[in-house]
Amino acid sequence: MLRLDYISCALNVVSTLMVGRKLWQGWLIAGANSAILCFIGFRTAQFGFIPANLFCIALSSYNLRAWRE
């Protein structure tokens, strides 16, 4: 069984390290992590995670675009 919580934890650490090193790919990983958290929230009926992480996806997209310019 795929443990999405462990994958999310690893992606969170990796994206934080990458953004701290000023690598724009960290924002992509952060967005992917937020999508995984939305899926986890849906599967566990913790629906409060979904709007919060959709906001995080939008914020990651905005930051990625700002870093690429």
Side-chain angles (χ1 to χ4, degrees):
M1 181 77 186
L2 190 61
R3 295 294 307 253
L4 291 177
D5 53 340
Y6 290 136
I7 292 171
S8 175
C9 179
L11 289 177
N12 188 32
V13 171
V14 169
S15 69
T16 302
L17 290 172
M18 291 179 76
V19 169
R21 292 182 180 159
K22 301 186 186 298
L23 298 172
W24 63 267
Q25 294 92 342
W27 292 112
L28 287 177
I29 294 172
N33 184 43
S34 292
I36 289 172
L37 284 172
C38 284
F39 183 73
I40 290 171
F42 182 76
R43 296 248 352 238
T44 60
Q46 296 178 7
F47 299 114
F49 281 122
I50 296 171
N53 282 293
L54 289 175
F55 175 76
C56 288
I57 290 171
L59 188 60
S60 292
S61 299
Y62 174 79
N63 287 331
L64 176 60
R65 192 181 74 187
W67 278 43
R68 297 282 296 173
E69 292 176 355

